[in-house]
Amino acid sequence: IGRSAGEETDSSAVEGSYYLSELEKEMMQKVRRHFKKMIVLLNVGGIIDMSYINEISPDSILYVWQGGMIGGLGVADVLLGNTNPSGKLADTIAQKIEYYPAGKNFGDHVRNYYCEDIYIGYRYFETFAKEEVLYPFGFGLSYTSFDISVVSASSDSEKISLDVNVKNTGSFAGKEVVQLYCEAPQGKLGKPARVLCGFEKTDELSPNEQQLIHIEVKLSDLASFDDIGATGNKSCFVLEEGKYNIYAGNDVRSAEYAYSFELEETIVTEKLSQALAPVLPFDRIVNRNGMISMESVPVTKPCEDKRRIEGLPAEIT
């Protein structure tokens, strides 16, 4: 299944773009009916609707993205078993396009309101709608299996350090990606349930071979931006006081608790100044104890430059 959407044009919620065409559905039905093995290759620049593909129940699905003129050779190596796929999803694949919070604002020719705010992709689904996910962020299978276990973990005033052992428990050589996620205290700002904070890919491991992976995460990378001064530190990156939990695994959904540390006071990691804040009011998603709430974004006075900004009302130019 191929799509040309990419740098030149976005996909749209129509058949032959985000959705499968009727011809593609018929082709898949025929292949599934007449062949014992069925592999679906998705030669696409972004995710497409997976609901019908799952109904057909292929033996395997491979997102090959758009690999360019030699991409086909790489795909052939994977299909023939010459190399083991070890890629991970950089998107969350939801059951329906309507489940994405950005969907209702997508495709406007004049402007785009980022109502989802920081709750983009997996940050939204893992916080508010885990049951709406078909394939989670970071997910990816291979021809083998791995056991991931945290050997040691520690933290100081600047960083978190984890040693993670990865063992190939299957029958084929392959690589695995260790992923770390942080659950920060909700505090005054509200936070996603999970945020990717570190990752590392192993070397190619033979069956029963194992590797110790060392991953460090700067505490400053866990900070949140306070754009309204809720913590008393407007336009600053802050680490709010409270307990921080770290999870380790091979995707956001399977990552298990690994370590925690606690800050007794809120720490400012970087002081900045406001720039490019919205000039038109709209509501954005905020997290209130795991429940969605909508609050107005902070707006700023529009630029006093008299040149008209295309698509914006004259009164704000």
Side-chain angles (χ1 to χ4, degrees), residues 221-239:
D221 289 343
L222 307 180
S224 301
F225 186 68
D226 186 353
D227 61 356
I228 60 175
T231 67
N233 302 284
K234 189 176 185 300
S235 300
C236 294
F237 277 97
V238 299
L239 288 164

Side-chain angles (χ1 to χ4, degrees), residues 125-140:
F125 288 104
E126 296 305 309
T127 306
F128 304 116
K130 296 177 70 173
E131 71 282 355
E132 296 175 355
V133 173
L134 198 58
Y135 296 105
F137 176 84
F139 180 80

